Amino acid sequence: MRYVSPNLRLLFSPPLRPTLSVPLFISKPNPKPFSTILASSSSKRPRSFSNLSRRSNSTFKDRKGGGRDMTMEETSGQSKDSSSSFGFNKRRAEGRDKSDRPKKNPQLKERKLNPTNTIAYVQILGTGMDTQDTSPSVLLFFDKQRFIFNAGEGLQRFCTEHKVKLSKIDHIFLSRVCSETAGGLPGLLLTLAGMGEEGYSVKIWGPSNLNFLVGAMKSFIPHATMVHTQSFGESPISDAAENVTAPIKASDPIVLVKDEVVKISAILLQPHCLQQSQIKPGEISVLYICELPELMGKFDPKKAAALGLKAGPKYSELQHGKSVESDRLDIMVHPADVMDPPVPGPIVILVDCPTESHLQELLSIECLNGYYTDVSSHLTESTKMVNCVIHLSPASVVSSPNYQKWMKKFGSAQHIMAGHGKKTLEVPILKSSARVTSRLNYLCPQFFPAPGFLSLEHLNYSTSDDISSSEGPTEKICESIPAENLLKFTLRPYAQLGLDRSHIPTPMGQSQVIDELHLEIPEIADAAQHVRGFWQELKESREVLPTSNDNGVMIEEPWLTEDTLPGCLENIRRDDLEIVLLGTGSSQPSKYRNVSSVYINLFSKGSLLFDCGEGTLGQLKRRYGVDGADKAIRNLKCVWISHIHADHHTGLARVLALRRDLLKGVPHEPLLVIGPRQLKRYLDAYQRLEDLDMQFLDCRSTTKASWDTFVRDGASNNDGSSPQSPRHSNAKNESMQEINQTLFAKSSRMQSYLRQPGSPVDHSAAYPFLKSLKKMLGEAGLEALISFPVVHCPQAFGIVLEAAERVNSVGKVIPGWKIVYSGDTRPCPELVDACRGATVLIHEATFEDGLFDEAIARNHSTTKEAIEVGNSAGAYRIVLTHFSQRYPKIPVFDETHMHKTCIAFDMMSINIADLPVLPKVLPYLKLLFRNEVAVDESDDILDALV
């Protein structure tokens, strides 16, 4: 690129763009911060950097009048070339802000029960029904009590969508303890604990292996949040959860809840093994029996009068079960003499039989004999009639002849098949999000492809398809119905006992959504046509647009050449790279935005995940379809996690567990997970519950300095020495000293957790993983994966991913593209350095510009700050993500400085070949949401909670 003189720049530059209220810290320019960074040919700083150093230095405390008892730092840079600074919350960055927050002690709610409930029902909460990524939940509802069975990923988002009030939930029961049934627990517990002055809590029940899950979650969830957990059955060596006394026989029911409203019992279901020691923790399943007490029959005053009773207090005593003397006759009057027959209490059974091996045990459980009412059973007076059986078992098990015979033993009971099936596969459970996705797809299908599943019109199945055997039915299938989202089975009033379909959402077709859009925004059709025209213009412009010469000269004003294609985009192919924003919200899942995750699709060369918040797997399945997402999971090369906050990693276990299952019996390597050290503690503890088939590498082992050490070690190994030899240990120590003397050095402005005792990087242990990572990068056509520290919380990182150079058909060497993902951070020099020459910068923009103080307090960035980071570093395109719940659909932004920027939405898919078009779409996105009121979506979440 040519150097542009200041005079020429003033002639051609557009109006000065808005600048940051607080300047970025600009470190001494590094001539080669990464292997492919462009170096400046002049010692003079670019003007964009000079502007930054002239801005206001006011601190958060100054702005707020010093009213907060919080150490807010805005430190000065220490380099010779700059005296600029930026604001951040040092206590939060170092993890010392916990003492600043009020200590909470979440308590269980005490409720006054109503034994004569006027309303009681069970209801299917269809989490995962459209994506098959997690187990559906079941709600047991009473006037004053709520119980939920299973809490898979997406439960919190589902409840926000359908206004199920989570604060009313008293108990959560797990049918199995694994990522499929409990993936939503961490986020749910954190959300409840944060509500109100003391927070809410809920009692969690599960088999004895619940202790392993509780122990794992302690690595990032306060212990006070999880004190109300209770396990049952034979207890493993752990005291994480209180244990219920086991019955005399392992197969006997364990009574968990018994009050005047309901009795809930559990029967443990284990796989059939010759030896008990062969059973793994995650293989224990549970069958739950929910029994409502019988209601006394209606009092008949005519019968009472005939037996010589006068109206008065004796009527009430009889209705409460007491015998009384007749007023006119010399007899005793018993309740049965004047009451209609009692109304039997309804019974609901929930069964989760995950494998054929579990089925063998299920068929042999003797304590269920009292609930069998078919003609072949030995009926007695104590036989109880089951009204409804909800099957969480998979179709492969349900379809077996033995399971069908077992179902028939319940006589006339209503069977609801809630395992994954075809009927609800294509019906969106999150309708609000699906509606926005459809509108975006209409406006710009290139960036917002249609969902990956088939349309409703193409479905071909019968109601029995889900449970028919692949080998053909051997006998008549037991009558049942497939579960549907929000399907109810009424338990009381008794007169309405049975199915209630009135709350099942009506299907929402694409055409209906678009018709509504045309009525709402008549000009949207023309807008969609204009957007489509951008791609024709792009095709024509590729023939005339110049490309950068990549000669190592940094141009000072990036926007002067925004129409110049970076060299890496020359002859780019559509199957080189696609960036899919799976989750673009912050903190917790909401109606329109899931939490953080970015899918890097390298097509035939595999894929990577940057962050993996709760529901990431479900988002993948919505984007690519069930089969397409399974293929994506099989082809994952690496998962990289930026920091330990729950909205960035609680979807990881589910992704890893699915990959394990998909590759079972297929030769493969464990998946490499790169993340902060605290994440390893969680994963190690979790793997006591179920194997995740992964290997872990600390982010600090993938920094630039660590890679340099690794390369030096590799070169030194040519003489036969090992990485563990003294000479290499010295080199590694020197490398760590170099790191510690920069960003995290003592007395520097960002002294961090990394400098605290007890957290050294074990380079020798990381060496084989780095070797494996380097091999994987080469196979995927990548040159480098580099983590760098950022300012948010202890051990928070961003990432640089660089593609290898390629050679075109005439032998010209074309540089590789470069993606930078900021993670959660304040603007900082390490991020600016990492972004130099980036093709795409994916930067968090949690707050709008007017919430600058809050951004500092929470160590996040504003929209303008994120854009300024990209502009300062010469990034070609900037994608903003991680928006606060304040912005339900589209965040607040100022278009005047969005010339190379776009706003991310869930499912947005950016092909590298389409990058020149990206900023042009932004005004049309604003048109699409012009009628949306900027309402804080946390209000919806609050409604679902309280």
Side-chain angles (χ1 to χ4, degrees):
M1 298 182 206
R2 289 181 311 181
Y3 170 79
V4 182
S5 69
N7 292 335
L8 189 62
R9 184 177 62 240
L10 290 174
L11 288 174
F12 290 97
S13 60
L16 188 62
R17 285 163 169 77
T19 56
L20 290 171
S21 302
V22 170
L24 296 173
F25 179 89
I26 304 304
S27 60
K28 183 176 180 179
N30 186 343
K32 193 176 181 182
F34 299 108
S35 57
T36 60
I37 296 284
L38 297 179
S40 173
S41 62
S42 171
S43 60
K44 185 171 111 178
R45 281 186 324 231
R47 192 180 100 183
S48 56
F49 287 175
S50 301
N51 288 341
L52 293 173
S53 65
R54 290 197 295 267
R55 294 169 191 161
S56 166
N57 290 326
S58 61
T59 65
F60 174 82
K61 191 171 182 179
D62 292 337
R63 290 170 175 268
K64 303 297 286 188
R68 294 197 181 190
D69 184 17
M70 181 185 298
T71 303
M72 304 304 301
E73 279 211 2
E74 189 168 78
T75 56
S76 299
Q78 303 300 318
S79 77
K80 297 178 182 178
D81 298 278
S82 175
S83 60
S84 58
S85 62
F86 71 95
F88 71 103
N89 182 345
K90 183 177 180 182
R91 290 179 63 82
R92 184 175 179 86
E94 295 178 345
R96 296 187 292 114
D97 62 329
K98 294 181 181 179
S99 60
D100 300 330
R101 309 169 195 163
K103 290 186 178 181
K104 293 188 175 185
N105 185 24
Q107 298 294 321
L108 296 173
K109 285 192 174 182
E110 295 184 5
R111 305 188 192 278
K112 185 177 180 180
L113 302 183
N114 176 18
T116 58
N117 285 280
T118 57
I119 299 176
Y121 57 81
V122 286
Q123 185 174 32
I124 304 297
L125 306 183
T127 54
M129 292 183 71
D130 58 341
T131 53
Q132 300 188 356
D133 64 304
T134 191
S135 172
S137 298
V138 178
L139 171 67
L140 176 58
F141 178 98
F142 297 98
D143 290 343
K144 301 293 184 180
Q145 277 185 303
R146 315 281 193 276
F147 304 87
I148 279 185
F149 296 85
N150 288 342
E153 290 186 23
L155 175 61
Q156 187 179 173
R157 193 178 187 194
F158 176 93
C159 291
T160 301
E161 169 88 10
H162 296 285
K163 300 191 182 302
V164 177
K165 296 186 181 298
L166 286 172
S167 67
K168 303 294 185 182
I169 304 300
D170 298 290
H171 302 264
I172 294 178
F173 299 89
L174 302 179
S175 65
R176 281 176 288 133
V177 185
C178 60
S179 59
E180 185 180 1
T181 59
L185 270 183
L188 178 60
L189 290 174
L190 287 169
T191 298
L192 289 173
M195 301 301 300
E197 293 184 3
E198 287 297 326
Y200 299 112
S201 188
V202 63
K203 195 159 191 175
I204 303 169
W205 300 83
S208 55
N209 48 19
L210 175 62
N211 295 297
F212 294 126
L213 178 62
V214 172
M217 291 193 299
K218 281 182 178 178
S219 61
F220 64 95
I221 295 180
H223 176 68
T225 305
M226 298 184 292
V227 294
H228 305 293
T229 55
Q230 199 153 11
S231 63
F232 47 85
E234 186 177 347
S235 179
I237 304 174
S238 173
D239 58 354
E242 185 181 347
N243 194 264
V244 176
T245 303
I248 298 175
K249 288 185 179 180
S251 60
D252 286 348
I254 305 169
V255 178
L256 307 178
V257 175
K258 187 176 183 180
D259 53 35
E260 57 266 44
V261 172
V262 68
K263 173 185 172 184
I264 299 179
S265 306
I267 299 176
L268 292 176
L269 196 58
Q270 300 176 345
H272 182 72
C273 295
L274 295 177
Q275 298 180 5
Q276 187 75 13
S277 60
Q278 295 176 343
I279 299 175
K280 299 176 182 178
E283 294 178 340
I284 303 173
S285 183
V286 184
L287 180 148
Y288 288 103
I289 304 174
C290 307
E291 303 176 70
L292 278 64
E294 68 176 18
L295 294 179
M296 296 189 68
K298 187 177 180 180
F299 178 78
D300 189 340
K302 292 182 179 180
K303 289 182 180 180
L307 293 173
L309 285 174
K310 297 179 181 179
K314 290 184 179 181
Y315 279 19
S316 177
E317 291 182 43
L318 285 166
Q319 292 180 61
H320 284 84
K322 296 179 181 180
S323 299
V324 298
E325 291 184 7
S326 172
D327 296 318
R328 298 187 178 95
L329 303 176
D330 187 19
I331 59 173
M332 289 294 294
V333 181
H334 304 286
D337 299 329
V338 295
M339 305 286 292
D340 290 340
V343 179
I347 299 176
V348 177
I349 291 180
L350 293 94
V351 56
D352 186 352
C353 182
T355 69
E356 290 277 357
S357 182
H358 288 80
L359 178 56
Q360 295 181 48
E361 290 292 311
L362 177 63
L363 299 175
S364 65
I365 295 177
E366 296 180 0
C367 62
L368 285 175
N369 291 339
Y371 299 91
Y372 297 148
T373 57
D374 67 324
V375 292
S376 63
S377 302
H378 301 289
L379 302 181
T380 66
E381 290 185 2
S382 63
T383 299
K384 301 176 180 180
M385 179 175 290
V386 176
N387 302 92
C388 179
V389 183
I390 299 176
H391 301 266
L392 301 173
S393 312
S396 59
V397 175
V398 170
S399 62
S400 69
N402 285 335
Y403 197 96
Q404 291 291 310
K405 288 180 182 178
W406 179 78
M407 289 171 61
K408 290 180 180 179
K409 289 185 177 183
F410 293 101
S412 61
Q414 176 67 67
H415 293 276
I416 301 176
M417 316 310 292
H420 295 150
K422 296 179 182 177
K423 182 173 178 59
T424 57
L425 187 61
E426 281 76 35
V427 180
I429 298 300
L430 303 174
K431 292 182 66 173
S432 298
S433 175
R435 181 174 175 271
V436 169
T437 300
S438 295
R439 292 161 67 106
L440 288 166
N441 170 251
Y442 174 78
L443 177 66
C444 182
Q446 292 85 356
F447 287 139
F448 303 98
F453 46 66
L454 296 174
S455 63
L456 289 171
E457 304 89 75
H458 293 93
L459 290 181
N460 256 326
Y461 60 82
S462 65
T463 55
S464 61
D465 278 349
D466 293 337
I467 59 172
S468 61
S469 170
S470 58
E471 299 176 359
T474 57
E475 61 177 80
K476 185 178 178 182
I477 293 174
C478 180
E479 186 175 348
S480 63
I481 65 164
E484 296 182 71
N485 186 31
L486 301 184
L487 173 68
K488 283 184 180 181
F489 187 92
T490 301
L491 304 175
R492 285 186 178 146
Y494 187 77
Q496 298 176 17
L497 183 72
L499 293 171
D500 177 3
R501 300 177 180 273
S502 62
H503 293 82
I504 297 176
T506 56
M508 177 186 62
Q510 171 87 357
S511 58
Q512 177 186 350
V513 174
I514 301 309
D515 289 345
E516 293 175 356
L517 178 60
H518 283 154
L519 290 174
E520 180 185 334
I521 308 175
E523 58 269 41
I524 198 67
D526 290 338
Q529 190 64 33
H530 290 160
V531 170
R532 287 169 175 77
F534 291 150
W535 271 262
Q536 180 60 35
E537 295 173 7
L538 176 62
K539 182 179 179 182
E540 297 170 356
S541 66
R542 287 193 189 279
E543 303 172 2
V544 296
L545 268 183
T547 58
S548 59
N549 57 14
D550 294 293
N551 60 1
V553 180
M554 180 182 291
I555 196 158
E556 296 194 9
E557 296 287 11
W559 50 78
L560 282 181
T561 57
E562 60 191 44
D563 289 332
T564 300
L565 285 176
C568 63
L569 296 186
E570 183 177 347
N571 297 329
I572 198 73
R573 294 166 52 97
R574 297 196 67 84
D575 61 355
D576 281 346
L577 169 68
E578 181 184 52
I579 303 171
V580 183
L581 286 303
L582 296 174
T584 58
S586 67
S587 182
Q588 60 200 54
S590 60
K591 278 202 300 187
Y592 302 104
R593 294 183 184 272
N594 203 53
V595 287
S596 297
S597 185
V598 181
Y599 178 67
I600 305 298
N601 185 8
L602 302 175
F603 297 92
S604 61
K605 296 178 182 178
S607 58
L608 298 88
L609 272 176
F610 294 167
D611 280 334
C612 192
E614 177 188 337
T616 291
L617 178 58
Q619 294 290 87
L620 265 176
K621 296 204 172 192
R622 291 182 182 95
R623 170 62 181 87
Y624 292 107
V626 172
D627 293 337
D630 287 350
K631 181 180 179 181
I633 295 298
R634 286 191 192 96
N635 294 334
L636 268 180
K637 301 296 184 183
C638 171
V639 178
W640 182 91
I641 304 297
S642 61
H643 62 290
I644 196 61
H645 287 168
D647 58 325
H648 291 258
H649 76 83
T650 50
L652 179 57
R654 187 74 197 103
V655 167
L656 294 174
L658 177 62
R659 180 181 182 272
R660 173 204 64 208
D661 294 340
L662 292 173
L663 295 178
K664 191 173 183 179
V666 179
H668 67 280
E669 293 292 328
L671 184 65
L672 181 62
V673 175
I674 304 173
R677 187 175 183 179
Q678 307 103 308
L679 181 64
K680 185 178 189 301
R681 291 198 292 271
Y682 165 67
L683 294 173
D684 287 346
Y686 188 91
Q687 289 200 103
R688 297 177 65 193
L689 178 64
E690 60 177 332
D691 176 35
L692 295 179
D693 191 26
M694 49 76 63
Q695 51 191 9
F696 185 84
L697 184 61
D698 195 314
C699 278
R700 292 173 294 172
S701 295
T702 59
T703 62
K704 180 65 167 58
S706 295
W707 276 113
D708 289 344
T709 300
F710 171 77
V711 171
R712 287 198 299 267
D713 287 346
S716 302
N717 277 343
N718 292 332
D719 62 10
S721 60
S722 69
Q724 288 79 18
S725 64
R727 61 184 294 181
H728 296 115
S729 297
N730 291 337
K732 293 163 189 169
N733 291 334
E734 292 172 4
S735 173
M736 274 308 299
Q737 186 176 3
E738 178 184 342
I739 298 173
N740 291 334
Q741 286 177 348
T742 55
L743 178 59
F744 301 111
K746 186 176 181 180
S747 77
S748 79
R749 56 185 192 75
M750 290 177 63
Q751 184 178 1
S752 163
Y753 175 86
L754 295 184
R755 284 287 290 163
Q756 296 178 11
S759 61
V761 180
D762 186 351
H763 285 275
S764 61
Y767 190 92
F769 298 125
L770 285 172
K771 187 175 181 180
S772 175
L773 175 58
K774 186 173 179 62
K775 178 184 177 184
M776 179 276 289
L777 293 173
E779 292 172 349
L782 300 173
E783 179 68 26
L785 184 157
I786 301 170
S787 302
F788 57 91
V790 294
V791 181
H792 180 59
C793 67
Q795 295 193 54
F797 294 88
I799 184 174
V800 175
L801 188 68
E802 299 181 29
E805 294 178 341
R806 50 196 170 90
V807 180
N808 66 11
S809 57
V810 297
K812 179 182 177 181
V813 177
I814 300 175
W817 45 259
K818 176 180 177 179
I819 298 173
V820 179
Y821 172 54
S822 70
D824 287 7
T825 185
R826 289 287 299 143
C828 61
E830 290 68 33
L831 178 57
V832 175
D833 287 344
C835 292
R836 297 189 195 282
T839 314
V840 180
L841 166 62
I842 305 169
H843 199 300
E844 72 117 297
T846 309
F847 297 108
E848 61 183 280
D849 300 337
L851 297 175
F852 173 78
D853 294 338
E854 191 166 353
I856 289 184
R858 300 190 182 186
N859 280 345
H860 284 296
S861 299
T862 66
T863 299
K864 189 188 298 184
E865 287 176 323
I867 295 170
E868 199 71 39
V869 167
N871 286 341
S872 298
Y876 176 63
R877 291 293 180 252
I878 304 167
V879 179
L880 302 182
T881 185
H882 195 268
F883 301 112
S884 167
Q885 296 160 1
R886 290 174 174 83
Y887 320 113
K889 296 178 183 176
I890 191 167
V892 177
F893 61 89
D894 182 356
E895 284 185 75
T896 58
H897 57 286
M898 304 283 280
H899 58 285
K900 59 167 68 174
T901 305
C902 196
I903 299 297
F905 294 84
D906 282 16
M907 307 300 175
M908 188 176 190
S909 303
I910 305 171
N911 193 286
I912 190 170
D914 297 333
L915 286 179
V917 176
L918 189 61
K920 298 180 181 180
V921 176
L922 186 60
Y924 298 88
L925 294 175
K926 198 167 184 179
L927 169 67
L928 186 66
F929 295 103
R930 73 178 184 186
N931 297 331
E932 303 295 342
V933 179
V935 178
D936 189 342
E937 193 174 335
S938 59
D939 291 341
D940 289 332
I941 296 172
L942 185 62
D943 289 341
L945 289 168
V946 300

